[in-house]
Short mmCIF file of all heavy atoms in Angstrom, two decimals:
data_model
loop_
_atom_site.label_atom_id
_atom_site.label_comp_id
_atom_site.label_asym_id
_atom_site.label_seq_id
_atom_site.Cartn_x
_atom_site.Cartn_y
_atom_site.Cartn_z
N MET A 1 -8.76 6.59 -6.81
CA MET A 1 -8.26 6.35 -5.45
C MET A 1 -6.73 6.26 -5.49
O MET A 1 -6.15 5.68 -6.40
CB MET A 1 -8.82 5.02 -4.93
CG MET A 1 -8.29 4.63 -3.56
SD MET A 1 -8.37 2.85 -3.31
CE MET A 1 -9.99 2.68 -2.63
N LYS A 2 -6.13 6.87 -4.46
CA LYS A 2 -4.68 6.73 -4.31
C LYS A 2 -4.37 6.10 -2.96
O LYS A 2 -5.17 6.19 -2.03
CB LYS A 2 -4.01 8.10 -4.41
CG LYS A 2 -4.05 8.67 -5.80
CD LYS A 2 -3.40 10.02 -5.86
CE LYS A 2 -3.41 10.54 -7.29
NZ LYS A 2 -3.00 11.93 -7.37
N VAL A 3 -3.22 5.46 -2.87
CA VAL A 3 -2.85 4.79 -1.62
C VAL A 3 -1.37 5.00 -1.34
O VAL A 3 -0.55 5.11 -2.26
CB VAL A 3 -3.21 3.28 -1.71
CG1 VAL A 3 -2.39 2.57 -2.78
CG2 VAL A 3 -3.02 2.60 -0.36
N TRP A 4 -1.05 5.13 -0.05
CA TRP A 4 0.36 5.20 0.33
C TRP A 4 0.53 4.55 1.70
O TRP A 4 -0.44 4.32 2.42
CB TRP A 4 0.87 6.65 0.34
CG TRP A 4 0.16 7.57 1.29
CD1 TRP A 4 -1.07 8.16 1.10
CD2 TRP A 4 0.63 8.04 2.57
NE1 TRP A 4 -1.38 8.95 2.17
CE2 TRP A 4 -0.36 8.90 3.09
CE3 TRP A 4 1.80 7.81 3.31
CZ2 TRP A 4 -0.21 9.54 4.34
CZ3 TRP A 4 1.94 8.45 4.54
CH2 TRP A 4 0.94 9.30 5.04
N ILE A 5 1.76 4.22 2.01
CA ILE A 5 2.08 3.53 3.27
C ILE A 5 3.06 4.37 4.08
O ILE A 5 4.02 4.91 3.53
CB ILE A 5 2.71 2.14 2.99
CG1 ILE A 5 1.69 1.22 2.31
CG2 ILE A 5 3.24 1.51 4.28
CD1 ILE A 5 2.29 -0.10 1.85
N ASP A 6 2.79 4.49 5.37
CA ASP A 6 3.76 5.11 6.27
C ASP A 6 4.70 4.01 6.75
O ASP A 6 4.37 3.24 7.65
CB ASP A 6 3.05 5.78 7.44
CG ASP A 6 4.05 6.50 8.35
OD1 ASP A 6 5.27 6.28 8.20
OD2 ASP A 6 3.60 7.28 9.21
N GLN A 7 5.88 3.92 6.12
CA GLN A 7 6.81 2.82 6.43
C GLN A 7 7.30 2.86 7.88
O GLN A 7 7.74 1.84 8.41
CB GLN A 7 8.00 2.84 5.47
CG GLN A 7 7.72 2.17 4.13
CD GLN A 7 6.94 3.06 3.18
OE1 GLN A 7 6.92 4.27 3.33
NE2 GLN A 7 6.28 2.45 2.20
N ASP A 8 7.22 4.02 8.53
CA ASP A 8 7.64 4.11 9.93
C ASP A 8 6.78 3.22 10.83
O ASP A 8 7.22 2.80 11.90
CB ASP A 8 7.54 5.55 10.43
CG ASP A 8 8.66 6.42 9.87
OD1 ASP A 8 9.63 5.83 9.35
OD2 ASP A 8 8.55 7.65 9.95
N LEU A 9 5.55 2.95 10.40
CA LEU A 9 4.61 2.18 11.21
C LEU A 9 4.46 0.74 10.74
O LEU A 9 3.85 -0.08 11.41
CB LEU A 9 3.23 2.85 11.21
CG LEU A 9 3.17 4.29 11.74
CD1 LEU A 9 1.77 4.86 11.53
CD2 LEU A 9 3.55 4.33 13.21
N CYS A 10 5.01 0.43 9.57
CA CYS A 10 4.83 -0.89 8.98
C CYS A 10 5.56 -1.96 9.80
O CYS A 10 6.72 -1.79 10.15
CB CYS A 10 5.37 -0.88 7.55
SG CYS A 10 5.33 -2.48 6.73
N THR A 11 4.84 -3.07 10.09
CA THR A 11 5.43 -4.16 10.87
C THR A 11 6.09 -5.20 9.97
O THR A 11 6.74 -6.12 10.46
CB THR A 11 4.36 -4.87 11.72
OG1 THR A 11 3.46 -5.56 10.84
CG2 THR A 11 3.57 -3.87 12.56
N GLY A 12 5.86 -5.09 8.66
CA GLY A 12 6.48 -6.02 7.73
C GLY A 12 5.87 -7.41 7.72
O GLY A 12 6.50 -8.36 7.25
N ASP A 13 4.65 -7.55 8.21
CA ASP A 13 4.01 -8.87 8.26
C ASP A 13 3.58 -9.38 6.89
O ASP A 13 3.38 -10.57 6.71
CB ASP A 13 2.80 -8.81 9.18
CG ASP A 13 1.82 -7.76 8.70
OD1 ASP A 13 0.96 -8.08 7.88
OD2 ASP A 13 1.95 -6.59 9.13
N GLY A 14 3.41 -8.47 5.94
CA GLY A 14 3.11 -8.87 4.57
C GLY A 14 1.64 -9.11 4.27
O GLY A 14 1.30 -9.62 3.21
N LEU A 15 0.77 -8.76 5.21
CA LEU A 15 -0.66 -8.99 5.01
C LEU A 15 -1.19 -8.26 3.78
O LEU A 15 -1.98 -8.80 3.00
CB LEU A 15 -1.42 -8.52 6.26
CG LEU A 15 -2.80 -9.13 6.47
CD1 LEU A 15 -2.67 -10.62 6.75
CD2 LEU A 15 -3.50 -8.44 7.64
N CYS A 16 -0.74 -7.03 3.59
CA CYS A 16 -1.23 -6.24 2.45
C CYS A 16 -0.86 -6.92 1.13
O CYS A 16 -1.65 -6.97 0.20
CB CYS A 16 -0.66 -4.82 2.51
SG CYS A 16 1.13 -4.76 2.68
N GLU A 17 0.34 -7.44 1.07
CA GLU A 17 0.79 -8.12 -0.15
C GLU A 17 -0.02 -9.38 -0.41
O GLU A 17 -0.31 -9.73 -1.54
CB GLU A 17 2.28 -8.46 -0.04
CG GLU A 17 2.90 -8.91 -1.33
CD GLU A 17 4.36 -9.30 -1.18
OE1 GLU A 17 4.72 -9.86 -0.13
OE2 GLU A 17 5.15 -9.03 -2.11
N GLU A 18 -0.41 -10.07 0.67
CA GLU A 18 -1.25 -11.25 0.52
C GLU A 18 -2.61 -10.89 -0.04
O GLU A 18 -3.16 -11.58 -0.89
CB GLU A 18 -1.46 -11.91 1.90
CG GLU A 18 -0.53 -13.05 2.19
CD GLU A 18 -0.72 -13.58 3.60
OE1 GLU A 18 -1.86 -13.88 3.97
OE2 GLU A 18 0.28 -13.65 4.34
N ILE A 19 -3.17 -9.78 0.46
CA ILE A 19 -4.52 -9.38 0.05
C ILE A 19 -4.52 -8.78 -1.35
O ILE A 19 -5.39 -9.06 -2.15
CB ILE A 19 -5.11 -8.38 1.07
CG1 ILE A 19 -5.30 -9.08 2.42
CG2 ILE A 19 -6.43 -7.80 0.57
CD1 ILE A 19 -5.70 -8.16 3.56
N ALA A 20 -3.56 -7.94 -1.64
CA ALA A 20 -3.54 -7.24 -2.94
C ALA A 20 -2.11 -7.17 -3.48
O ALA A 20 -1.47 -6.12 -3.47
CB ALA A 20 -4.12 -5.84 -2.79
N PRO A 21 -1.61 -8.31 -4.00
CA PRO A 21 -0.22 -8.36 -4.48
C PRO A 21 0.04 -7.45 -5.68
O PRO A 21 1.19 -7.14 -5.97
CB PRO A 21 -0.02 -9.84 -4.85
CG PRO A 21 -1.38 -10.41 -4.97
CD PRO A 21 -2.29 -9.61 -4.09
N ALA A 22 -1.03 -7.02 -6.36
CA ALA A 22 -0.84 -6.14 -7.51
C ALA A 22 -0.54 -4.71 -7.08
O ALA A 22 -0.07 -3.91 -7.88
CB ALA A 22 -2.08 -6.17 -8.41
N VAL A 23 -0.81 -4.42 -5.81
CA VAL A 23 -0.65 -3.04 -5.33
C VAL A 23 0.44 -2.92 -4.27
O VAL A 23 1.13 -1.90 -4.18
CB VAL A 23 -1.98 -2.50 -4.75
CG1 VAL A 23 -1.81 -1.09 -4.21
CG2 VAL A 23 -3.07 -2.54 -5.80
N PHE A 24 0.61 -3.97 -3.46
CA PHE A 24 1.56 -3.89 -2.35
C PHE A 24 2.69 -4.89 -2.54
O PHE A 24 2.47 -6.01 -3.00
CB PHE A 24 0.86 -4.19 -1.02
CG PHE A 24 -0.29 -3.27 -0.73
CD1 PHE A 24 -1.60 -3.71 -0.84
CD2 PHE A 24 -0.07 -1.95 -0.35
CE1 PHE A 24 -2.67 -2.86 -0.58
CE2 PHE A 24 -1.13 -1.09 -0.08
CZ PHE A 24 -2.42 -1.54 -0.20
N THR A 25 3.89 -4.49 -2.14
CA THR A 25 5.02 -5.41 -2.23
C THR A 25 6.00 -5.16 -1.09
O THR A 25 6.16 -4.03 -0.62
CB THR A 25 5.74 -5.25 -3.59
OG1 THR A 25 6.70 -6.28 -3.73
CG2 THR A 25 6.41 -3.89 -3.71
N LEU A 26 6.59 -6.23 -0.60
CA LEU A 26 7.61 -6.09 0.43
C LEU A 26 8.99 -6.01 -0.22
O LEU A 26 9.31 -6.84 -1.06
CB LEU A 26 7.56 -7.27 1.41
CG LEU A 26 6.83 -6.96 2.73
CD1 LEU A 26 5.34 -6.83 2.46
CD2 LEU A 26 7.09 -8.01 3.77
N LEU A 27 9.78 -5.05 0.17
CA LEU A 27 11.12 -4.93 -0.38
C LEU A 27 12.16 -5.53 0.56
O LEU A 27 11.82 -6.03 1.64
CB LEU A 27 11.44 -3.45 -0.66
CG LEU A 27 10.57 -2.78 -1.73
CD1 LEU A 27 11.10 -1.38 -2.04
CD2 LEU A 27 10.51 -3.61 -3.01
N ASP A 28 13.42 -5.47 0.14
CA ASP A 28 14.50 -6.09 0.91
C ASP A 28 14.65 -5.51 2.31
O ASP A 28 15.21 -6.16 3.19
CB ASP A 28 15.83 -5.93 0.16
CG ASP A 28 15.88 -6.81 -1.08
OD1 ASP A 28 15.02 -7.71 -1.19
OD2 ASP A 28 16.76 -6.60 -1.92
N ASP A 29 14.16 -4.29 2.51
CA ASP A 29 14.25 -3.71 3.86
C ASP A 29 13.18 -4.28 4.79
O ASP A 29 13.10 -3.88 5.96
CB ASP A 29 14.17 -2.18 3.79
CG ASP A 29 12.86 -1.68 3.19
OD1 ASP A 29 11.96 -2.50 2.94
OD2 ASP A 29 12.75 -0.45 2.98
N GLY A 30 12.35 -5.20 4.28
CA GLY A 30 11.35 -5.85 5.12
C GLY A 30 10.10 -5.02 5.32
O GLY A 30 9.24 -5.39 6.12
N LEU A 31 9.97 -3.94 4.57
CA LEU A 31 8.81 -3.08 4.71
C LEU A 31 7.97 -3.10 3.43
O LEU A 31 8.48 -3.43 2.36
CB LEU A 31 9.25 -1.64 5.00
CG LEU A 31 10.10 -1.47 6.27
CD1 LEU A 31 10.59 -0.04 6.39
CD2 LEU A 31 9.33 -1.89 7.51
N ALA A 32 6.72 -2.74 3.59
CA ALA A 32 5.81 -2.77 2.45
C ALA A 32 5.79 -1.43 1.73
O ALA A 32 5.90 -0.36 2.36
CB ALA A 32 4.40 -3.12 2.93
N TYR A 33 5.66 -1.51 0.40
CA TYR A 33 5.56 -0.32 -0.44
C TYR A 33 4.42 -0.52 -1.43
O TYR A 33 4.07 -1.66 -1.74
CB TYR A 33 6.89 -0.09 -1.19
CG TYR A 33 8.02 0.29 -0.27
CD1 TYR A 33 8.74 -0.69 0.39
CD2 TYR A 33 8.34 1.62 -0.03
CE1 TYR A 33 9.76 -0.35 1.28
CE2 TYR A 33 9.36 1.97 0.83
CZ TYR A 33 10.07 0.97 1.48
OH TYR A 33 11.07 1.31 2.36
N VAL A 34 3.89 0.58 -1.94
CA VAL A 34 2.85 0.47 -2.95
C VAL A 34 3.50 0.47 -4.33
O VAL A 34 4.62 0.95 -4.50
CB VAL A 34 1.84 1.64 -2.85
CG1 VAL A 34 1.05 1.53 -1.56
CG2 VAL A 34 2.52 2.98 -2.95
N LYS A 35 2.78 -0.07 -5.29
CA LYS A 35 3.28 -0.01 -6.66
C LYS A 35 2.15 0.33 -7.62
O LYS A 35 0.98 0.09 -7.35
CB LYS A 35 3.98 -1.30 -7.05
CG LYS A 35 3.17 -2.56 -6.89
CD LYS A 35 4.02 -3.75 -7.30
CE LYS A 35 3.21 -5.04 -7.21
NZ LYS A 35 3.92 -6.21 -7.72
N GLU A 36 2.58 0.89 -8.73
CA GLU A 36 1.65 1.27 -9.80
C GLU A 36 2.09 0.48 -11.00
O GLU A 36 3.13 0.79 -11.60
CB GLU A 36 1.79 2.78 -10.05
CG GLU A 36 0.48 3.53 -10.19
CD GLU A 36 0.74 5.01 -10.37
OE1 GLU A 36 1.10 5.42 -11.48
OE2 GLU A 36 0.60 5.75 -9.39
N GLY A 37 1.36 -0.58 -11.32
CA GLY A 37 1.84 -1.49 -12.35
C GLY A 37 3.12 -2.15 -11.86
O GLY A 37 3.14 -2.72 -10.77
N ASP A 38 4.19 -2.02 -12.62
CA ASP A 38 5.47 -2.62 -12.23
C ASP A 38 6.37 -1.63 -11.49
O ASP A 38 7.47 -1.98 -11.06
CB ASP A 38 6.22 -3.13 -13.46
CG ASP A 38 5.54 -4.37 -14.04
OD1 ASP A 38 4.85 -5.06 -13.28
OD2 ASP A 38 5.71 -4.62 -15.25
N VAL A 39 5.91 -0.40 -11.35
CA VAL A 39 6.75 0.62 -10.74
C VAL A 39 6.52 0.68 -9.23
O VAL A 39 5.43 1.01 -8.77
CB VAL A 39 6.44 2.01 -11.36
CG1 VAL A 39 7.33 3.07 -10.72
CG2 VAL A 39 6.62 1.97 -12.87
N VAL A 40 7.55 0.34 -8.47
CA VAL A 40 7.44 0.39 -7.02
C VAL A 40 7.75 1.80 -6.54
O VAL A 40 8.75 2.41 -6.93
CB VAL A 40 8.42 -0.60 -6.35
CG1 VAL A 40 8.31 -0.52 -4.83
CG2 VAL A 40 8.14 -2.02 -6.83
N LYS A 41 6.84 2.33 -5.71
CA LYS A 41 7.01 3.68 -5.18
C LYS A 41 7.76 3.58 -3.85
O LYS A 41 7.16 3.53 -2.80
CB LYS A 41 5.64 4.33 -4.97
CG LYS A 41 4.75 4.29 -6.20
CD LYS A 41 5.17 5.35 -7.18
CE LYS A 41 4.16 5.47 -8.31
NZ LYS A 41 4.31 6.69 -9.08
N ASN A 42 9.08 3.52 -3.97
CA ASN A 42 9.86 3.22 -2.78
C ASN A 42 10.51 4.45 -2.15
O ASN A 42 11.52 4.35 -1.46
CB ASN A 42 10.89 2.13 -3.03
CG ASN A 42 11.86 2.51 -4.13
OD1 ASN A 42 11.69 3.54 -4.78
ND2 ASN A 42 12.88 1.71 -4.34
N ASP A 43 9.93 5.62 -2.40
CA ASP A 43 10.34 6.82 -1.68
C ASP A 43 9.38 7.03 -0.53
O ASP A 43 8.26 7.48 -0.74
CB ASP A 43 10.26 8.04 -2.61
CG ASP A 43 11.59 8.34 -3.26
OD1 ASP A 43 12.60 7.81 -2.77
OD2 ASP A 43 11.59 9.09 -4.25
N PRO A 44 9.80 6.72 0.70
CA PRO A 44 8.86 6.83 1.82
C PRO A 44 8.37 8.26 2.00
O PRO A 44 9.13 9.21 1.83
CB PRO A 44 9.69 6.40 3.03
CG PRO A 44 10.83 5.63 2.48
CD PRO A 44 11.10 6.22 1.13
N GLY A 45 7.10 8.38 2.34
CA GLY A 45 6.50 9.68 2.60
C GLY A 45 6.35 10.50 1.34
O GLY A 45 7.01 10.26 0.34
N GLY A 46 5.46 11.46 1.35
CA GLY A 46 5.31 12.37 0.22
C GLY A 46 4.66 11.74 -0.99
O GLY A 46 4.37 10.55 -1.00
N SER A 47 4.49 12.53 -2.04
CA SER A 47 3.72 12.08 -3.19
C SER A 47 4.45 11.02 -3.99
O SER A 47 3.83 10.23 -4.69
CB SER A 47 3.38 13.27 -4.08
OG SER A 47 4.58 13.90 -4.51
N ALA A 48 5.77 10.96 -3.89
CA ALA A 48 6.51 9.94 -4.64
C ALA A 48 6.21 8.54 -4.10
O ALA A 48 6.47 7.55 -4.77
CB ALA A 48 8.01 10.21 -4.57
N GLY A 49 5.69 8.46 -2.89
CA GLY A 49 5.34 7.17 -2.30
C GLY A 49 3.89 6.81 -2.48
O GLY A 49 3.40 5.90 -1.82
N MET A 50 3.20 7.55 -3.34
CA MET A 50 1.76 7.36 -3.51
C MET A 50 1.48 6.70 -4.85
O MET A 50 2.13 7.00 -5.85
CB MET A 50 1.08 8.73 -3.46
CG MET A 50 -0.40 8.66 -3.24
SD MET A 50 -1.08 10.33 -3.08
CE MET A 50 -0.67 10.73 -1.40
N ALA A 51 0.53 5.75 -4.88
CA ALA A 51 0.22 5.06 -6.13
C ALA A 51 -1.26 5.20 -6.47
O ALA A 51 -2.11 5.19 -5.57
CB ALA A 51 0.56 3.58 -6.02
N LEU A 52 -1.54 5.34 -7.75
CA LEU A 52 -2.90 5.35 -8.25
C LEU A 52 -3.41 3.91 -8.30
O LEU A 52 -2.70 3.03 -8.78
CB LEU A 52 -2.91 5.97 -9.65
CG LEU A 52 -4.24 6.37 -10.24
CD1 LEU A 52 -4.90 7.46 -9.39
CD2 LEU A 52 -4.03 6.89 -11.66
N VAL A 53 -4.61 3.66 -7.77
CA VAL A 53 -5.15 2.30 -7.70
C VAL A 53 -6.15 2.07 -8.84
O VAL A 53 -7.12 2.83 -8.96
CB VAL A 53 -5.86 2.06 -6.35
CG1 VAL A 53 -6.43 0.65 -6.28
CG2 VAL A 53 -4.92 2.33 -5.19
N PRO A 54 -5.94 1.04 -9.66
CA PRO A 54 -6.94 0.70 -10.68
C PRO A 54 -8.28 0.38 -10.02
O PRO A 54 -8.30 -0.19 -8.92
CB PRO A 54 -6.37 -0.56 -11.36
CG PRO A 54 -4.91 -0.55 -11.01
CD PRO A 54 -4.79 0.13 -9.69
N GLU A 55 -9.37 0.73 -10.69
CA GLU A 55 -10.70 0.61 -10.07
C GLU A 55 -11.00 -0.81 -9.58
O GLU A 55 -11.58 -0.99 -8.51
CB GLU A 55 -11.76 1.03 -11.08
CG GLU A 55 -12.60 2.21 -10.59
CD GLU A 55 -13.58 2.66 -11.66
OE1 GLU A 55 -14.61 2.00 -11.85
OE2 GLU A 55 -13.27 3.69 -12.29
N ASP A 56 -10.58 -1.80 -10.33
CA ASP A 56 -10.92 -3.18 -9.95
C ASP A 56 -10.13 -3.65 -8.74
O ASP A 56 -10.38 -4.74 -8.21
CB ASP A 56 -10.72 -4.13 -11.14
CG ASP A 56 -9.29 -4.12 -11.65
OD1 ASP A 56 -8.59 -3.11 -11.46
OD2 ASP A 56 -8.88 -5.13 -12.24
N LEU A 57 -9.17 -2.87 -8.28
CA LEU A 57 -8.38 -3.26 -7.11
C LEU A 57 -8.74 -2.43 -5.88
O LEU A 57 -8.21 -2.67 -4.79
CB LEU A 57 -6.88 -3.10 -7.40
CG LEU A 57 -6.34 -4.02 -8.49
CD1 LEU A 57 -4.91 -3.64 -8.85
CD2 LEU A 57 -6.40 -5.48 -8.04
N GLU A 58 -9.69 -1.51 -6.04
CA GLU A 58 -10.00 -0.60 -4.93
C GLU A 58 -10.52 -1.34 -3.69
O GLU A 58 -10.14 -1.03 -2.57
CB GLU A 58 -11.01 0.46 -5.38
CG GLU A 58 -10.39 1.48 -6.33
CD GLU A 58 -11.34 2.61 -6.68
OE1 GLU A 58 -12.53 2.53 -6.31
OE2 GLU A 58 -10.87 3.57 -7.31
N ASP A 59 -11.40 -2.34 -3.90
CA ASP A 59 -11.95 -3.07 -2.75
C ASP A 59 -10.86 -3.80 -1.99
O ASP A 59 -10.84 -3.81 -0.76
CB ASP A 59 -13.02 -4.06 -3.21
CG ASP A 59 -14.34 -3.36 -3.52
OD1 ASP A 59 -14.46 -2.17 -3.17
OD2 ASP A 59 -15.23 -4.00 -4.11
N ALA A 60 -9.93 -4.43 -2.73
CA ALA A 60 -8.85 -5.16 -2.08
C ALA A 60 -7.95 -4.20 -1.30
O ALA A 60 -7.48 -4.52 -0.20
CB ALA A 60 -8.03 -5.92 -3.12
N VAL A 61 -7.74 -3.01 -1.84
CA VAL A 61 -6.90 -2.03 -1.15
C VAL A 61 -7.59 -1.54 0.13
O VAL A 61 -6.96 -1.38 1.17
CB VAL A 61 -6.57 -0.85 -2.09
CG1 VAL A 61 -5.96 0.31 -1.33
CG2 VAL A 61 -5.62 -1.32 -3.18
N ARG A 62 -8.91 -1.34 0.03
CA ARG A 62 -9.66 -0.95 1.24
C ARG A 62 -9.56 -2.03 2.30
O ARG A 62 -9.36 -1.75 3.48
CB ARG A 62 -11.13 -0.70 0.91
CG ARG A 62 -11.37 0.63 0.25
CD ARG A 62 -12.85 1.01 0.22
NE ARG A 62 -13.03 2.12 -0.71
CZ ARG A 62 -13.39 1.98 -1.99
NH1 ARG A 62 -13.64 0.79 -2.47
NH2 ARG A 62 -13.49 3.03 -2.77
N GLU A 63 -9.69 -3.28 1.88
CA GLU A 63 -9.60 -4.40 2.83
C GLU A 63 -8.22 -4.44 3.47
O GLU A 63 -8.08 -4.59 4.68
CB GLU A 63 -9.90 -5.72 2.12
CG GLU A 63 -9.95 -6.91 3.07
CD GLU A 63 -10.04 -8.24 2.34
OE1 GLU A 63 -10.42 -8.26 1.16
OE2 GLU A 63 -9.71 -9.27 2.97
N ALA A 64 -7.18 -4.29 2.67
CA ALA A 64 -5.82 -4.30 3.20
C ALA A 64 -5.63 -3.19 4.21
O ALA A 64 -5.02 -3.38 5.27
CB ALA A 64 -4.81 -4.16 2.05
N SER A 65 -6.18 -2.02 3.91
CA SER A 65 -6.05 -0.88 4.81
C SER A 65 -6.74 -1.17 6.14
O SER A 65 -6.22 -0.83 7.22
CB SER A 65 -6.66 0.36 4.16
OG SER A 65 -6.67 1.43 5.07
N GLU A 66 -7.90 -1.83 6.08
CA GLU A 66 -8.63 -2.16 7.31
C GLU A 66 -7.91 -3.22 8.12
O GLU A 66 -7.89 -3.18 9.35
CB GLU A 66 -10.05 -2.64 6.97
CG GLU A 66 -11.01 -1.50 6.68
CD GLU A 66 -12.27 -1.99 5.95
OE1 GLU A 66 -12.57 -3.19 6.00
OE2 GLU A 66 -12.92 -1.14 5.31
N GLU A 67 -7.30 -4.18 7.44
CA GLU A 67 -6.66 -5.30 8.14
C GLU A 67 -5.24 -4.99 8.59
O GLU A 67 -4.70 -5.68 9.46
CB GLU A 67 -6.62 -6.53 7.22
CG GLU A 67 -7.97 -7.01 6.73
CD GLU A 67 -8.80 -7.62 7.85
OE1 GLU A 67 -8.22 -8.18 8.77
OE2 GLU A 67 -10.05 -7.50 7.79
N CYS A 68 -4.62 -4.00 8.03
CA CYS A 68 -3.20 -3.70 8.30
C CYS A 68 -2.93 -3.53 9.80
O CYS A 68 -3.48 -2.64 10.43
CB CYS A 68 -2.83 -2.42 7.55
SG CYS A 68 -1.21 -1.77 8.00
N PRO A 69 -2.08 -4.40 10.37
CA PRO A 69 -1.80 -4.34 11.81
C PRO A 69 -1.13 -3.03 12.23
O PRO A 69 -1.28 -2.60 13.37
CB PRO A 69 -0.86 -5.53 12.05
CG PRO A 69 -0.99 -6.39 10.85
CD PRO A 69 -1.37 -5.50 9.72
N GLY A 70 -0.39 -2.43 11.32
CA GLY A 70 0.29 -1.18 11.66
C GLY A 70 -0.60 0.05 11.47
O GLY A 70 -0.21 1.16 11.79
N GLU A 71 -1.81 -0.20 10.93
CA GLU A 71 -2.73 0.89 10.58
C GLU A 71 -1.99 1.99 9.81
O GLU A 71 -2.11 3.17 10.09
CB GLU A 71 -3.40 1.47 11.84
CG GLU A 71 -4.27 0.42 12.53
CD GLU A 71 -5.06 0.96 13.71
OE1 GLU A 71 -4.97 2.18 13.98
OE2 GLU A 71 -5.76 0.16 14.34
N CYS A 72 -1.20 1.56 8.86
CA CYS A 72 -0.34 2.52 8.16
C CYS A 72 -0.57 2.55 6.65
O CYS A 72 0.27 3.06 5.91
CB CYS A 72 1.11 2.20 8.47
SG CYS A 72 1.61 0.53 8.08
N ILE A 73 -1.69 1.99 6.19
CA ILE A 73 -2.05 2.10 4.78
C ILE A 73 -3.09 3.20 4.65
O ILE A 73 -4.19 3.08 5.19
CB ILE A 73 -2.61 0.78 4.22
CG1 ILE A 73 -1.57 -0.32 4.33
CG2 ILE A 73 -3.06 0.96 2.78
CD1 ILE A 73 -2.05 -1.69 3.89
N PHE A 74 -2.73 4.26 3.96
CA PHE A 74 -3.60 5.43 3.89
C PHE A 74 -4.18 5.60 2.49
O PHE A 74 -3.47 5.50 1.49
CB PHE A 74 -2.83 6.69 4.29
CG PHE A 74 -2.36 6.62 5.72
CD1 PHE A 74 -1.07 6.18 6.03
CD2 PHE A 74 -3.21 6.96 6.75
CE1 PHE A 74 -0.65 6.09 7.34
CE2 PHE A 74 -2.79 6.88 8.07
CZ PHE A 74 -1.51 6.44 8.37
N ILE A 75 -5.50 5.81 2.46
CA ILE A 75 -6.23 5.91 1.20
C ILE A 75 -6.70 7.34 1.00
O ILE A 75 -7.17 7.98 1.93
CB ILE A 75 -7.43 4.95 1.21
CG1 ILE A 75 -6.94 3.50 1.13
CG2 ILE A 75 -8.40 5.27 0.09
CD1 ILE A 75 -8.02 2.47 1.33
N GLU A 76 -6.54 7.82 -0.22
CA GLU A 76 -7.12 9.10 -0.58
C GLU A 76 -8.13 8.85 -1.68
O GLU A 76 -7.77 8.47 -2.79
CB GLU A 76 -6.03 10.08 -1.03
CG GLU A 76 -5.01 10.26 0.08
CD GLU A 76 -4.20 11.53 -0.05
OE1 GLU A 76 -4.40 12.27 -1.03
OE2 GLU A 76 -3.36 11.75 0.83
N GLU A 77 -9.40 9.00 -1.35
CA GLU A 77 -10.49 8.73 -2.30
C GLU A 77 -10.54 9.84 -3.34
O GLU A 77 -10.23 10.99 -3.04
CB GLU A 77 -11.82 8.62 -1.58
CG GLU A 77 -11.89 7.49 -0.55
CD GLU A 77 -12.13 6.12 -1.17
OE1 GLU A 77 -12.29 6.04 -2.38
OE2 GLU A 77 -12.14 5.14 -0.40
N GLY A 78 -10.98 9.47 -4.54
CA GLY A 78 -11.19 10.48 -5.57
C GLY A 78 -10.13 10.42 -6.64
O GLY A 78 -9.24 9.62 -6.61
S1 LIG B 101 -0.26 -4.89 6.22
FE1 LIG B 101 0.47 -2.91 7.01
S2 LIG B 101 1.97 -3.43 8.57
FE2 LIG B 101 1.64 -5.25 7.34
S3 LIG B 101 3.23 -5.21 5.76
FE3 LIG B 101 1.43 -4.20 4.91
S4 LIG B 101 1.68 -2.02 5.36
FE4 LIG B 101 3.10 -3.15 6.67
#
């Protein structure tokens, strides 16, 4: 599973980071970004902003995507 965020729609509420801090992080610009391990994918849009999700975190990422107020967490299964 891969995940990315459309920062144009992010409200910066931090819900995703609360649900899955290993995958989502808020940066100084007040917006959420995905990360892969310690590497933050802070290039908005495109494949550079996409992170591979470890299997044990997939459920949390799905939950974050469902709860996201901006509806801007996008999952690519497979
Ligand atoms: S839950 Fe959605 S809107 Fe809120 S900070 Fe995360 S990506 Fe942004």
Side-chain angles (χ1 to χ4, degrees):
M1 177 205 271
K2 289 179 178 170
V3 65
W4 60 282
I5 294 173
D6 183 347
Q7 278 79 21
D8 286 345
L9 301 174
C10 175
T11 68
D13 57 88
L15 202 66
C16 52
E17 191 182 36
E18 263 176 52
I19 295 173
V23 178
F24 303 106
T25 188
L26 260 71
L27 296 187
D28 289 346
D29 61 7
L31 301 174
Y33 292 84
V34 293
K35 55 181 183 174
E36 225 177 78
D38 289 335
V39 180
V40 179
K41 307 282 189 165
N42 59 353
D43 265 344
S47 59
M50 196 176 281
L52 194 62
V53 180
E55 240 176 77
D56 59 335
L57 295 172
E58 288 186 352
D59 283 349
V61 168
R62 282 193 194 95
E63 185 188 341
S65 174
E66 280 163 20
E67 301 291 329
C68 170
E71 296 185 2
C72 56
I73 299 176
F74 297 95
I75 290 172
E76 302 201 359
E77 299 281 357

